[in-house]
Amino acid sequence: MKTTVDHLLALGDDALIAAQRLGEWVAAAPELEEDVALANIALDQLGAARLLLTYAGELEGAGRDEDALAYLRDDREFRNCLLVELPNGDFAVTMAKLLFLAAYQLTLYTALSGCADERLAAIASKARKEVAYHLDHARLWTVRLGDGTAESHRRMQAAVDEIWPYTHELFLPDPTAPVDPAGLRAEFLAIVEPVLAEATLERPADDWAPEGGRRGLHTEHLSYLLAEMQVLHRAHPGARW
Amino acid sequence: MHGHHFPEPGDGPASGLLGQVEAAEAALRAAAERGRPGAPDGAAGDTDPQEYFTALIEADQKIEPRDWMPDAYRRTLIRQIAQHAHSEIIGMQPEGNWITRAPSLKRKAILLAKVQDEAGHGLYLYAAAETLGVSRDELVELLLAGRQKYSSIFNYPTLTWADVGAIGWLVDGAAIVNQVPLCRCSYGPYARAMIRICKEESFHQRQGYEILYTLAHGTPAQREMAQDAVNRWWYPSLAMFGPPDRDSTHSEQSMAWKIKRFSNDELRQRFVDMCVPQAEILGLRIPDPELRWNPERQSYDFTPPDYAELMRVISGDGPCNRQRMARRRRAHAEGAWVREAAAAYAAKRAARATAPTEVAA
């Protein structure tokens, strides 16, 4: 199966938008150690995004580099999943988002690291190691919060309930992709369900399943995120930084 | 993806200072190898502790956490290290302000890494302060209650992207000039923390310089942005060295104890002398009409910062004091339930670990 520009954009945009949201936490985390950890995870995601977008731009062959793709596309052209663009909410919401994203990325990158496209396989292989750390971090916090105090349990359950519907989109079938995500949901559940159980949290029912991100149909949040992310770059067309 | 080449003095704007950091590190090792005067096992034996303390300082040995030290020495160090730590933490805010808007992905990554380093520096410094018998929680409470200060510079706003460059070049530059002598400070844990911190700071300074260089050689709007940032950050950076020597309250004793090695005015002069040639290479103007080379002093004459303004900012009335403190208090308050959850979970785990084996239900 041949790698498509759209597929690379989906992967790269997931990582880029996740990094942007995590970057909003800087100097606002519950403790200093967590400021360091969230910035570190944001950096990893940004690093993966840069590699994926650079590759997407080269494959497209229209002269767009990572910055042209990050800063000069509108929300209708972004291919990220809805989950990553949702606001940070409280720390529990951020950890629920990170848990689900990292579990998804770990299964996907692991599968991609063996794909025929050597460049994509190399990127996935590097990113997989980082994502394993992100998953571990989110897992530990989900358990601490779920099995911590009554208040943290309530918040963590509310966060899981709020974010769970957005996990369905991650596994929409994409038969043109080097690895069809549809086949990865069982593995995702095998990672996530034991974490929820250990955290004494209920696994939400599978009902509402919003989607659209992969087709450029986003929530109302993305446009604001891009307005902020792109404002300076767009104000100085053609400038170097 | 490679950075473009640009001319610089030496290997980087702070290359000479970095050499001094390395020399301090070597001196620290040499002192450890020489061994301490008097009691070979480091114990004071039957000598007077005050005399032994003075002898250690005279011999350029390091005071370590278990050594006897005068209460005033301990208090001065706690105050200074804590304020230094607080400055790292509050200092994340002005730069953090531009993470979401950084104009290229490369710059965004560099800025994220830098702000992450600052949190790490705060952690080293709180750990160094804790060796003096105070807890990090207590120090954080003192900061939040407004009873301990942080560097006045972080009460200025970052209004444009160029401010991120100016902070790197000028603010980190001033911090390094101030901190390099602390690599030889008489208190071992602080000296060792400073060696690590100065190495990373000089890297940050170089990155800030590179941002300004790129802007100053970019479009007319970028160039104007760079000059405007230097205009706004120059005097606040000069004020970072503190009040003039005639008004400095802690200096004399700190110098006798070899906590401080140079006076505020000496360091300020050193900073100006370092910046002038760098500004020339950047192609940016230092906003001081009185700035000129003085061949007799072999130094630049310059207009000192407005110390009345410095005092207003230190006492809480700078442009961003309220905002910076409000944000730190909010992060602390909003994170309380998370810290409580982590403590409750750790307690549960500890209880489970020590409980007798449960019979499966």
Side-chain angles (χ1 to χ4, degrees), chain A residues 124-146:
Chain A
S125 173
K126 176 180 187 295
R128 181 183 59 165
K129 294 184 196 113
E130 296 165 349
V131 164
Y133 159 76
H134 307 168
L135 177 63
D136 196 46
H137 192 74
R139 185 184 65 76
L140 284 168
W141 272 115
T142 301
V143 172
R144 277 189 204 117
L145 297 179

Side-chain angles (χ1 to χ4, degrees), chain B residues 90-91 93-95 97-98 151-174 212 225-241 271 275 285-287 305 309 313 319-320 324:
Chain B
I90 299 292
Q93 290 185 38
E95 290 173 286
N97 181 36
W98 281 91
S151 175
S152 59
I153 195 79
F154 301 120
N155 293 311
Y156 290 87
T158 49
L159 302 178
T160 71
W161 170 251
D163 291 34
V164 174
I167 287 181
W169 177 44
L170 295 173
V171 174
D172 294 335
L212 282 184
M225 192 192 284
Q227 184 62 58
D228 170 62
V230 171
N231 292 351
R232 283 182 289 108
W233 288 91
W234 174 250
Y235 284 112
S237 301
L238 287 190
M240 283 174 71
F241 296 93
F271 175 69
C275 285
R285 189 171 36 79
I286 288 175
E309 175 180 313
V313 176
C320 296
R324 301 286 186 245

